[in-house]
Amino acid sequence: MTEFEATPPSPSEPTHTWDSRINGLLFLFTIGSVFWAGHLLMTLSGPVAPEDANWLSGWPFAVPFLLILLFHEFGHWIAARMHSVPASLPYFLPLPFLSPFGSLGAIIVMPERIRSRNALLDVGAAGPLAGMLIAIPTMVIGLSLSEVHPVLPGGYWQEGQSLLYWLIKRLVLGPMPEGYDVHLHPTAFAAWGGFLITMINMLPWGQLDGGHIAYALLGERHHQIARWVRYSLPPLFLYNVWVFVVPVVRGDATMTYAVALSNSAFWLMWFIMTGLMGRFFGAQHPPCEPGELSPRRRLIAVATLGLFVALFMPTPFAQFE
């Protein structure tokens, strides 16, 4: 995700500088947090040898997940540098224990508006496309290391299903027998986490990556679409309430109300998050100078927004008891 000020600084202001020690410190904390999350995944995947019972054992998850984040963020940063747009190094966001990935991703701060629509498209699209260059082959490798097991009556987590994830599963593992599902290897889970984070960043709203791309493609028309996108999130929440909470009310499901609500809450949380982001950073995308995208970039914009559709998960994750 990138952030902009509402108005650019005056020409008399000094060139922007950032203390890269903060970036480095946050990245070190993120490495530790992600390796610890990977270690927990390894212990859940099966018995761990005594010599591997430490946080370094999480490398099959941590290394590919960190690579996906690095490629995503430096895709933005390199594109910004190519267009002479001031941009900070990535600020990685460690989140130990609370996130199954150990991180919330990263942000790059851009204190000036990107004035050219071509540059805006390049900066917005470079991150997701670069990250997917790592995430897709990682998913192929991870699924080839995964095992297919019968679905147990309860006591498991179900990862969200997207069109792209379903297609890769089909190509790598073939048709799934009824009553069976894949037990994700930590490397496959790293790729799935990359899919999830990319999906969220690709929401065509505000100053998320998808907002940059949609504004570059559509200009001021994007503001109306962004409002529709945000107000589609509560219906997604209600859809998941129907799937998880209503069966508990009827007595048709064994999960607790707390678990059912937790399974339903993802899109409600993001409705609240986008509201907060709009309050602090502005709900509308900052304007660009008049101009049109080049034909090649228009195709890239449409294809990249299509990536959001391919990654979309109506229910990102669910717990079954």
Side-chain angles (χ1 to χ4, degrees):
M1 184 180 72
T2 49
E3 299 172 7
F4 299 91
E5 293 181 348
T7 56
S10 66
S12 61
E13 292 184 12
T15 303
H16 299 284
T17 59
W18 293 274
D19 187 348
S20 60
R21 292 175 296 182
I22 298 174
N23 305 83
L25 189 62
L26 285 173
F27 183 56
L28 288 176
F29 280 133
T30 301
I31 290 174
S33 181
V34 170
F35 265 87
W36 180 251
H39 168 66
L40 295 178
L41 280 172
M42 293 298 291
T43 59
L44 292 173
S45 298
V48 177
E51 62 271 18
D52 293 330
N54 59 69
W55 70 280
L56 290 175
S57 68
W59 73 264
F61 165 81
V63 171
F65 185 73
L66 288 168
L67 278 175
I68 293 167
L69 293 185
L70 283 166
F71 268 67
H72 183 119
E73 295 305 325
F74 277 99
H76 289 310
W77 188 80
I78 291 170
R81 293 297 296 264
M82 289 175 65
H83 286 282
S84 300
V85 175
S88 71
L89 288 169
Y91 291 91
F92 288 88
L93 305 173
L95 190 64
F97 308 114
L98 297 179
S99 167
F101 313 118
S103 172
L104 281 177
I107 61 172
I108 288 178
V109 178
M110 296 182 182
E112 297 183 19
R113 291 204 310 261
I114 300 178
R115 299 182 179 278
S116 160
R117 287 173 71 170
N118 284 335
L120 181 63
L121 185 279
D122 289 353
V123 173
L129 295 179
M132 294 305 290
L133 286 177
I134 304 299
I136 290 176
T138 297
M139 180 62 82
V140 172
I141 295 169
L143 287 174
S144 68
L145 297 172
S146 302
E147 299 177 353
V148 175
H149 294 296
V151 176
L152 300 175
Y156 67 95
W157 285 85
Q158 176 65 59
E159 73 278 6
Q161 308 294 304
S162 66
L163 291 174
L164 181 59
Y165 177 47
W166 175 86
L167 176 61
I168 297 175
K169 277 201 299 184
R170 180 87 178 192
L171 293 173
V172 174
L173 299 173
M176 200 70 61
E178 186 175 354
Y180 283 72
D181 200 2
V182 60
H183 181 69
L184 288 183
H185 185 275
T187 299
F189 188 67
W192 181 85
F195 284 13
L196 177 66
I197 290 175
T198 303
M199 177 196 73
I200 292 300
N201 272 297
M202 287 300 298
L203 277 170
W205 182 87
Q207 298 189 58
L208 296 171
D209 295 344
H212 298 328
I213 297 165
Y215 188 90
L217 179 65
L218 301 171
E220 297 293 326
R221 290 174 293 168
H222 164 60
H223 296 321
Q224 182 63 44
I225 293 173
R227 283 193 290 271
W228 292 343
V229 167
R230 181 166 185 261
Y231 284 103
S232 71
L233 301 184
L236 283 170
F237 163 67
L238 293 177
Y239 161 77
N240 284 286
V241 168
W242 177 262
V243 170
F244 295 107
V245 178
V246 172
V248 175
V249 174
R250 291 175 174 172
D252 298 331
T254 58
M255 67 179 64
T256 65
Y257 281 104
V259 170
L261 288 169
S262 175
N263 291 344
S264 309
F266 184 88
W267 292 114
L268 177 62
M269 179 190 73
W270 273 99
F271 179 74
I272 296 170
M273 287 286 291
T274 50
L276 292 173
M277 291 162 62
R279 181 175 180 85
F280 287 105
F281 305 119
Q284 293 193 341
H285 195 285
C288 288
E289 293 177 352
E292 295 293 330
L293 286 179
S294 66
R296 179 178 65 86
R297 287 185 172 91
R298 186 173 292 273
L299 287 175
I300 292 172
V302 172
T304 310
L305 291 174
L307 176 64
F308 168 71
V309 176
L311 292 173
F312 178 73
M313 306 175 194
T315 306
F317 49 80
Q319 181 183 357
F320 292 89
E321 296 181 323

